[in-house]
Amino acid sequence: MIRATRVQGQHHWKEAPADTVVLDFDDRHRRRMVMTGTRGLEFLLDLENAVALRGGDALVLEDGRLVEVVAAPEPLIEIRCNDPLHLVRVGWHLGNRHLPTQIMAKGLRIRRDHVIEAMVKGLGARVIEIEAPFDPEGGAYAAGHAQAAEPDPHAHAAHDHASHDHGHHGDHVHDEHCDHDHHHGHSHAHDHK
């Protein structure tokens, strides 16, 4: 079976694809998996490391042909707010819960979750149920396509975040709904005189 061993980054390719795979968010984060394109091409995705594929990426087959990645529509909610400050506040609460979030021009998209929907409505935002491709932000600690994709000539030099301790939990604030332990290695005591 022919293998796909590399990823060509979002829209950084011009030739016509040999086939297309339509994948939801979960199936777009794989390292090794047999796939069948919409035109019947069967191949083995065989990457060195798991990569979060995005709609518009191309999988490069061993013979040089490309298979286009299309993000499948899935059940989402779109969150709309009164103004940009309100949107940032709601976005902060989503990020604080480490929820994959897609940033749109006029709102945020997340997967449907009745608990989070209730929280967002409680913050005064509107919730619209939609079916659409889900393409959330990779996050500050995501490697993106660094392991398997062609480099973007316009991007700044990157380094491997996995080899550094960024003190992740020391960088963000949690509210009363935080559900994990904190061991920051520093005291929160204050000297009052």
Side-chain angles (χ1 to χ4, degrees):
M1 177 179 290
I2 193 163
R3 298 181 311 145
T5 56
R6 292 186 302 120
V7 177
Q8 190 85 358
Q10 269 187 318
H11 310 293
H12 288 261
W13 46 277
K14 293 181 176 42
E15 54 270 37
D19 209 334
T20 301
V21 287
V22 181
L23 306 169
D24 69 14
F25 176 64
D26 289 331
D27 282 339
R28 290 196 322 269
H29 195 259
R30 303 286 179 177
R31 185 190 81 74
R32 195 163 202 270
M33 172 181 181
V34 173
M35 295 183 166
T36 303
T38 59
R39 293 181 218 137
L41 175 64
E42 190 172 72
F43 63 96
L44 175 65
L45 177 68
D46 192 14
L47 303 174
E48 189 175 315
N49 297 295
V51 172
L53 301 170
R54 301 180 77 95
D57 285 350
L59 304 174
V60 183
L61 299 174
E62 293 171 302
D63 62 7
R65 291 180 297 162
L66 301 179
V67 176
E68 181 180 11
V69 175
V70 172
E74 48 190 301
L76 305 174
I77 61 167
E78 188 159 299
I79 300 163
R80 298 289 181 94
C81 294
N82 300 327
D83 55 52
L85 184 59
H86 187 206
L87 189 65
V88 168
R89 182 170 174 251
V90 171
W92 181 89
H93 282 277
L94 297 175
N96 194 44
R97 283 156 184 79
H98 305 281
L99 290 172
T101 303
Q102 183 175 354
I103 299 171
M104 308 297 292
K106 294 185 178 183
L108 303 169
R109 288 182 180 174
I110 62 170
R111 290 176 143 173
R112 289 187 193 163
D113 178 322
H114 68 281
V115 172
I116 300 301
E117 289 176 41
M119 176 200 74
V120 166
K121 288 176 184 175
L123 293 168
R126 291 182 316 260
V127 171
I128 305 162
E129 290 187 358
I130 63 169
E131 294 274 333
F134 187 46
D135 204 9
E137 291 295 308
Y141 300 96
H145 297 313
Q147 300 298 323
E150 297 297 316
D152 181 350
H154 303 291
H156 61 80
H159 64 278
D160 180 9
H161 288 282
S163 65
H164 302 292
D165 178 9
H166 288 283
H168 173 68
H169 282 105
D171 294 341
H172 66 275
V173 179
H174 291 273
D175 65 10
E176 68 278 5
H177 302 293
C178 178
D179 61 355
H180 57 268
D181 294 330
H182 299 271
H183 303 286
H184 296 298
H186 59 275
S187 169
H188 290 283
H190 300 279
D191 184 18
H192 298 283
K193 294 187 180 188

